[in-house]
Amino acid sequence: MRNDKLSIQSMEFSVSIINLVKVLKEKRETIISNQIGRSGTSIGAIIREAQYAHGKADFIAKLQIALKEANETGYWLELLFKTEYITEAEYKALDTSCTSIRVMLISSINTAKENSYVEK
């Protein structure tokens, strides 16, 4: 188990997404629940995968993919809110977590890029 903030938050977010998917499936919503289930849980999986990247470029590429997945998840959250599958409070809580992960990913990507220029 990883103890860095990004790993911890992405795991907690994945748990929240899985719990959301359970509720959506109880409401018989399958289209968005399948999409958000995949994108929302893949964020943490890709972050975990990046920990064993084949060099700096691979590490950055994996974090960029995780960022894309986080951005997609934000879209699905907004759509769920606008279609009244989740309340405003649920949307704000999940969107805040997702945004926080995106900010950390951007920061990590930028730091890794800066460090790769210094190493050359």
Side-chain angles (χ1 to χ4, degrees):
M1 187 181 322
R2 297 287 302 187
N3 291 327
D4 62 280
K5 190 173 181 179
L6 183 56
S7 295
I8 292 167
Q9 280 198 317
S10 62
M11 176 60 80
E12 290 172 355
F13 185 71
S14 291
V15 171
S16 296
I17 290 297
I18 289 170
N19 289 330
L20 172 63
V21 168
K22 287 178 187 176
V23 171
L24 292 172
K25 297 233 181 208
E26 287 172 3
K27 295 179 180 181
R28 300 195 186 274
E29 197 304 308
T30 57
I31 297 168
I32 302 171
S33 64
N34 290 335
Q35 294 286 348
I36 198 167
R38 279 194 294 277
S39 66
T41 58
S42 69
I43 299 164
I46 296 167
I47 290 167
R48 178 78 59 98
E49 185 180 338
Q51 295 165 357
Y52 290 97
H54 301 288
K56 190 72 74 173
D58 187 37
F59 176 77
I60 292 168
K62 287 184 182 350
L63 291 186
Q64 288 172 328
I65 294 167
L67 179 59
K68 287 180 179 183
E69 294 294 323
N71 192 49
E72 178 184 341
T73 301
Y75 171 82
W76 296 124
L77 287 171
E78 184 177 350
L79 188 58
L80 286 168
F81 171 61
K82 289 186 175 198
T83 55
E84 300 178 357
Y85 277 103
I86 59 175
T87 65
E88 185 173 3
E90 291 169 319
Y91 169 70
K92 285 182 178 180
L94 288 168
D95 189 57
T96 297
S97 294
C98 191
T99 299
S100 175
I101 291 168
R102 284 197 306 260
V103 167
M104 284 188 281
L105 282 166
I106 291 167
S107 177
S108 296
I109 291 165
N110 289 339
T111 299
K113 284 180 178 179
E114 289 168 11
N115 289 343
S116 65
Y117 292 127
V118 171
E119 292 174 7
K120 290 183 179 177

